[in-house]
């Protein structure tokens, strides 16, 4: 980064001593790559006039174009209601159903078309091609079960802890049909993490699967449901029912016993609902569609609440024009539906457009790094979407693999972390065979869909840069004093969005104050103002804008670590470490990693009289895995004699991060205990 000063916050606000943005790499400006004439000739959006159409003078009415891609039971009266900032209400008065828009409306013309290709991880298992008609039947029957057996109704929350199987979108869409708010928890998260989310959302029903494949092993997943229910009970919350899908219908694949009166095998019970149909409920545009929990600056994950109308309109428009999805395309987003990317760009966006969407159960490099290219060749996938972490792993394990297969992508996406130009170029040349356009899409769980990206047939691509704001999104970079940093200033600052947009989350579930304070308070010009211009949205990322208007995202400026494109809160990890009885203090720092982008290193000090040992380090690591999940497992647990501290007793994470990243910790003479720095350096060596 050219200047780290603007990223530094005032003393009171400063919670982390080092941010991801501050350890961001220095990438040189790259040359442009142009989209091919062949791509442009077929693209959904080629008219550069779109930016005029979505200029700020036309805000908010320009977004009607987004909502017009959907079928409405009742048209909206007001495009945007700003009477209670920053709680924006989109398409007020409108009524629609998300499930109807993703399934029913395609039946007349496309009922025989594949909606979901489910690809099991074991390569000898057949791929399931679920047509729109079959999806319609399965979603209806399951919706009937949710309504009649579970008693679920519009507005209730249900927690899903499902792996990457077709039953996950089926469950989500069945909820959407009824107006039940789904809250899917990433299957790799622990039972405890699932419990915390079920408690916060007050879900009485938990939907899971007995087992799923990961790296060649059939994992027992049902055991996590037992832990989740027990942990929720400890927090005073009762989960009444656990619905269990079977990975192999008719066979129970988990050694964990069923709990009588609580656990139900969905595949058995569904027989009672054969042939049942459920009318899609016409719901207000601003009713919630789902919650997606994400890490923030405090210990507790926050439930981002997304709406039906604004969200669905946003992901549908961006799927059509940024992903360039046509109804005849086979589209594969290799993310997990347990994250926002999968919600928006495996399920809701592609299905709203009537495309065929691939759901792959396993890891990309299993059994070898040629797997994704075999899947793409067999299914004739022509749009591919993944993360820099996956691209780095595929490049490391099989740099020449893509050349062995006859797949042809017209379009590829990268999302979730900054991508190194050298990795981008491999993706373009080898995976895309020099033919595919690439969009580097920057956005967040909170945003619903893409914020910055090139429009693939209009802009040139620049490796390592996300690009300008998409049509209708007007980003701005502010320094700490709230001064705008113009394009080409060479200075990094805090990226914000000037205007509301339909895909944005509506609030944090049960925590409206946190919604206002975390995203809007910092740069709000007047807390009493009803004018949206006074309420820029602060993303929490450091960024620079080049003279050509392209934004390059540097990383988080707060206490969040982005591991392999997944957000983890430092407080969450530290409080998990503190559960171990021997631990006195814990501090986690982000470390640059060649595959995962960033990984956490954990420093702990022990209670007086205790000696460092491998056992204690192992216990700390295990505590983090059981509290959060394997994704948060630290690269190293370093047991230090003492934490480097300021004279006022604050742990200097900046010093620890510098040591972990092999950087110079700078002047440490003002610390209360400068001598400890060399001792820690010695330990880390
Ligand atoms: O730091 C940014 C990074 O991922 C964060 C959002 O993470 P999450 O809410 O889990 O959503 C990930 C998928 C949308 C952001 O604050 N990030 C996301 N996309 C990019 C990125 N960093 C650089 N380039 C991107 N394209």
């Amino acid at each position: 980064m050219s200047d780290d000063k603007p990223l530094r916050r005032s003393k009171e606000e400063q919670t982390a001593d080092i941010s991801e943005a501050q350890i961001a790499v220095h990438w040189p400006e790259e040359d442009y790559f142009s989209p091919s004439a062949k791509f442009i000739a077929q693209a959904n959006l080629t008219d550069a006039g779109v930016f005029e159409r979505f200029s700020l003078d036309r805000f908010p009415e320009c977004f009607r174009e987004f909502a017009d891609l959907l079928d409405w039971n009742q048209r909206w009266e007001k495009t945007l209601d700003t009477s209670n900032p920053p709680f924006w209400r989109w398409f007020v008065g409108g009524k629609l159903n998300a499930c109807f828009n993703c399934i029913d409306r395609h039946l007349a013309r496309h009922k025989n078309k594949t909606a979901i290709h489910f690809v099991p991880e074991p390569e000898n298992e057949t791929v399931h091609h679920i047509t729109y008609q079959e999806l319609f039947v399965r979603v209806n029957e399951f919706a009937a079960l949710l309504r009649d057996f579970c008693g679920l109704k519009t507005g209730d929350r249900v927690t899903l802890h499902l792996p990457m199987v077709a039953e996950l979108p089926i469950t989500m869409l069945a909820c959407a049909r009824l107006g039940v708010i789904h809250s899917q928890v990433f299957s790799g998260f622990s039972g405890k993490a699932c419990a915390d989310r079920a408690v916060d959302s007050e879900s009485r029903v938990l939907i899971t699967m007995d087992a799923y494949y990961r790296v060649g092993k059939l994992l027992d997943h049902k055991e996590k449901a037992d832990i989740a229910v027990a942990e929720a009970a400890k927090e005073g919350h009762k989960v009444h029912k656990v619905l269990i899908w079977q990975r192999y219908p008719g066979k129970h694949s988990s050694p964990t016993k069923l709990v009588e009166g609580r656990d139900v095998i969905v595949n058995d019970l569904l027989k009672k609902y054969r042939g049942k149909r459920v009318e899609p409920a016409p719901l207000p545009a601003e009713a919630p569609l789902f919650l997606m929990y994400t890490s923030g600056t405090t210990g507790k994950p926050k439930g981002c609440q997304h709406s039906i109308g604004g969200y669905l309109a946003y992901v549908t428009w961006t799927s059509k024009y940024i992903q360039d999805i046509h109804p005849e395309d086979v589209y594969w987003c290799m993310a997990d539906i347990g994250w926002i990317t999968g919600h928006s760009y495996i399920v809701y966006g592609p299905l709203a457009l009537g495309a065929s969407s691939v759901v792959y159960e396993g890891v990309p490099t299993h059994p070898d790094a040629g797997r994704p290219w075999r899947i793409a060749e067999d299914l004739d996938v022509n749009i591919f979407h993944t993360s820099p972490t996956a691209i780095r792993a595929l490049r490391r394990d099989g740099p020449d693999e893509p050349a062995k297969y006859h797949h042809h992508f017209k379009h590829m996406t990268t999302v979730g972390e900054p991508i190194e130009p050298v990795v981008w170029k491999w993706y373009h040349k080898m995976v895309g065979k020099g033919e595919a356009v690439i969009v580097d899409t920057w956005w967040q769980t909170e945003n619903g869909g893409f914020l910055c990206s090139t429009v693939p047939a209009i802009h040139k691509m620049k490796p390592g840069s996300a690009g300008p704001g998409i049509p209708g999104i007007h980003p701005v970079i502010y320094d700490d004093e709230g001064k705008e940093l113009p394009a080409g200033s060479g200075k990094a600052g805090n990226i914000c969005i000037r205007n509301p947009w339909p895909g944005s989350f509506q609030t944090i579930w049960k925590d409206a104050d946190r919604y206002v304070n975390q995203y809007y308070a910092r740069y709000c010009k007047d807390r009493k103002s009803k004018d949206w211009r006074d309420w820029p949205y602060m993303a929490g990322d450091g960024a620079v804008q080049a003279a050509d208007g392209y934004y390059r995202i540097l990383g988080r400026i707060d206490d969040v670590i982005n591991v392999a494109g997944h957000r983890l809160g430092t407080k969450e990890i530290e409080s998990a470490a503190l559960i171990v009885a021997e631990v006195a203090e814990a501090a986690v720092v982000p470390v640059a990693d060649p595959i995962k982008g960033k990984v956490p290193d954990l420093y702990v000090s022990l209670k007086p009289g205790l000696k460092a040992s491998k056992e204690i380090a192992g216990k700390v690591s295990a505590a983090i895995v059981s509290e959060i999940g394997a994704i948060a497992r630290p690269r190293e647990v370093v047991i230090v004699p003492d934490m480097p501290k300021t004279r006022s007793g604050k742990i200097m994470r900046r010093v620890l991060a510098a040591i972990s990243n092999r950087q110079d910790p700078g002047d440490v003479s003002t610390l209360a205990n400068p001598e400890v720095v060399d001792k820690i350096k010695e330990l880390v060596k």
Side-chain angles (χ1 to χ4, degrees), residues 214-246:
R214 184 118 192 122
V215 207
K217 272 212 233 75
L218 188 63
L219 302 182
D220 179 7
H221 189 56
K222 197 272 178 176
E223 65 175 359
K224 285 187 176 172
D226 293 350
I227 297 172
V229 175
E231 290 288 337
K234 277 192 212 159
E235 294 177 50
H237 178 79
K238 183 156 189 239
V239 174
H240 296 295
K241 284 194 168 62
V242 177
L243 303 188
I244 304 153
W245 286 99
Q246 289 173 320

Side-chain angles (χ1 to χ4, degrees), residues 311-332:
Y311 170 83
L312 195 64
Y314 199 76
V315 298
T316 306
W317 195 97
T318 49
S319 293
K320 179 160 182 182
Y321 295 115
I322 306 296
Q323 300 272 284
D324 201 52
I325 297 180
H326 297 55
E328 62 274 21
D329 289 326
V330 181
Y331 168 89
W332 182 13

